[in-house]
Amino acid sequence: MPTQCRVLILLLAVIAICGCVAAEQSVSDETVAPSSSIETIVFSDLNWSSAQIQNRIAQYIVEKGYGYPTDVVFGATLPLLQGLRRGDVHVNLEIWLPNIVEAWYEALENGEVVEIGTSLGRDWQSAFVIPAYLQEQYPELDSVEDLKEERFKALFATPETGGKARLVSCVIGWACEEVNAIQVEGYGLEDHVHIMTPGDGAALNADLYGAYEKGEPWLGYQWGTNDPALLLDLVQLEEPAYSEECWSTTKACAYEDSTIVIAVHPDLLEAAPDVVEMLRAWGFRIDIYREVAAWQNENSDASTNDAALWWLNGNADIWRGWVTEEAADAIEAALAANEIPDGWPIE
């Protein structure tokens, strides 16, 4: 064989061997690469106060204690659940069950979400709440059935309701908006109640606060951890007791007390296991939030961010139980230096 041919064959063999090594290296790199691409942990910034307070506290802990960047996506219940399922957001601290039970269990079965604990605790909610002072004036007004009486319809009627009782329902986009409409139909109240849906939680609260300050009649939706329910004297009108049969059909019965679940996207389990462990230990309960709501009421110019800082600075004995010792020391150092998380929204 000519020398040139032997050289050519040797060169081709070397090229082939190098190519195989490169291919093996590429496959190996692809195999060991992390399955998660989370660079910033995104929280579901649900459009009510308790969820946003919890987010700010958790963001502070995650950024200053564990060193992960954070961000928030603002929105309503169902869109943010879909965002969690897709991985557009990674943490939701307030999944209210049974309000979105069908979508929730579908997401669980599909492996799109992971339940890792609870927040706040069990909580009540009702579409038929009135101020206590109103029931003192009208003690016979104590049941949803009473709303069919002309005198009580007239009590809540406004020029826009056509003689029907005005009922301030859930915020547009919340799961309870649909539930409350079904309840009104189930109780046979369509001809007696006019549903008004506020644009956001602040509008819902302002509507109630405005009526309460003037001592006016008010009928509408509230839940136990909403600020007015914590700060005002309110009464739920009587309804038939909750049952699974009722709730799966007409919903002509009271809400079941809610379980408030913490959920994460599955990718977070690998991307930030220390954050997941912190959230498993999360202990922010209704009694804790009541103190925050009272402080916000007394400091009306304070933002949600201010309230989170106030709570973190005064309650290290609580949140230290959720985090590692190293993280706790880092958080306390950040608080002492008046540091603010980069991921907090500007208020």
Side-chain angles (χ1 to χ4, degrees):
M1 178 181 293
T3 302
Q4 294 91 332
C5 291
R6 288 198 298 268
V7 171
L8 179 60
I9 291 170
L10 286 171
L11 285 172
L12 290 172
V14 169
I15 291 170
I17 292 170
C18 290
C20 290
V21 171
E24 287 179 6
Q25 182 65 42
S26 176
V27 170
S28 176
D29 289 346
E30 185 175 320
T31 302
V32 300
S35 62
S36 170
S37 59
I38 296 176
E39 296 179 357
T40 299
I41 298 176
V42 181
F43 287 76
S44 301
D45 219 29
L46 295 155
N47 52 357
W48 59 85
S49 181
S50 62
Q52 292 175 7
I53 287 289
Q54 291 200 81
N55 278 352
R56 301 301 172 270
I57 293 169
Q59 286 181 270
Y60 202 102
I61 289 171
V62 169
E63 284 199 25
K64 302 304 180 182
Y66 293 94
Y68 296 92
T70 73
D71 200 356
V72 297
V73 172
F74 180 79
T77 307
L78 292 174
L80 285 177
L81 175 61
Q82 295 308 314
L84 184 67
R85 296 174 72 169
R86 292 190 302 266
D88 298 333
V89 295
H90 310 114
V91 181
N92 190 320
L93 290 172
E94 290 196 24
I95 298 286
W96 281 63
L97 303 176
N99 294 21
I100 54 172
V101 67
E102 292 181 5
W104 170 249
Y105 282 113
E106 179 183 282
L108 277 179
E109 290 171 5
N110 292 342
E112 298 165 330
V113 298
V114 179
E115 178 181 338
I116 60 170
T118 59
S119 71
L120 294 177
R122 291 182 66 81
D123 196 14
W124 66 267
Q125 57 185 317
S126 174
F128 305 96
V129 175
I130 62 175
Y133 60 74
L134 194 63
Q135 195 174 63
E136 291 175 3
Q137 297 175 47
Y138 302 94
E140 320 87 65
L141 175 58
D142 58 9
S143 165
V144 292
E145 290 297 317
D146 296 328
L147 297 173
K148 298 176 181 178
E149 295 187 25
E150 290 299 326
R151 57 176 176 150
F152 293 133
K153 285 166 56 176
L155 182 64
F156 297 106
T158 68
E160 297 80 21
T161 64
K164 297 181 181 181
R166 177 179 183 267
L167 184 145
V168 184
S169 186
C170 278
V171 171
I172 296 170
W174 292 7
C176 48
E177 178 194 3
E178 180 180 352
V179 170
N180 291 355
I182 296 171
Q183 278 193 309
V184 166
E185 182 179 351
Y187 284 130
L189 291 172
E190 307 103 302
D191 295 332
H192 309 283
V193 166
H194 174 84
I195 296 176
M196 193 278 285
T197 51
D200 57 30
L204 169 63
N205 291 353
D207 197 277
L208 173 51
Y209 280 133
Y212 202 95
E213 289 172 3
K214 299 173 183 176
E216 296 177 345
W218 190 88
L219 171 69
Y221 174 77
Q222 282 294 301
W223 66 100
T225 49
N226 196 28
D227 291 3
L230 293 171
L231 302 172
L232 307 179
D233 193 3
L234 305 175
V235 175
Q236 297 171 242
L237 296 182
E238 293 176 6
E239 302 175 71
Y242 170 89
S243 71
E244 289 187 7
E245 180 182 0
C246 165
W247 205 251
S248 64
T249 54
T250 64
K251 291 183 170 54
C253 55
Y255 275 85
E256 180 183 23
D257 281 355
S258 294
T259 299
I260 306 163
V261 170
I262 299 173
V264 301
H265 188 269
D267 285 354
L268 194 69
L269 302 180
E270 180 181 347
D274 44 0
V275 170
V276 172
E277 287 306 305
M278 181 274 292
L279 293 173
R280 291 189 193 280
W282 191 257
F284 198 86
R285 296 294 179 252
I286 292 174
D287 287 346
I288 294 174
Y289 178 63
R290 182 177 288 109
E291 295 177 0
V292 180
W295 183 85
Q296 286 182 294
N297 187 57
E298 294 171 359
N299 298 270
S300 57
D301 293 335
S303 67
T304 302
N305 296 352
D306 294 332
L309 284 173
W310 171 81
W311 188 83
L312 283 162
N313 275 299
N315 292 277
D317 58 323
I318 297 176
W319 57 255
R320 265 188 170 271
W322 311 341
V323 303
T324 64
E325 185 173 348
E326 181 180 2
D329 291 343
I331 294 163
E332 289 201 327
L335 288 169
N338 296 314
E339 295 180 11
I340 301 299
D342 294 334
W344 272 6
I346 297 173
E347 297 183 335

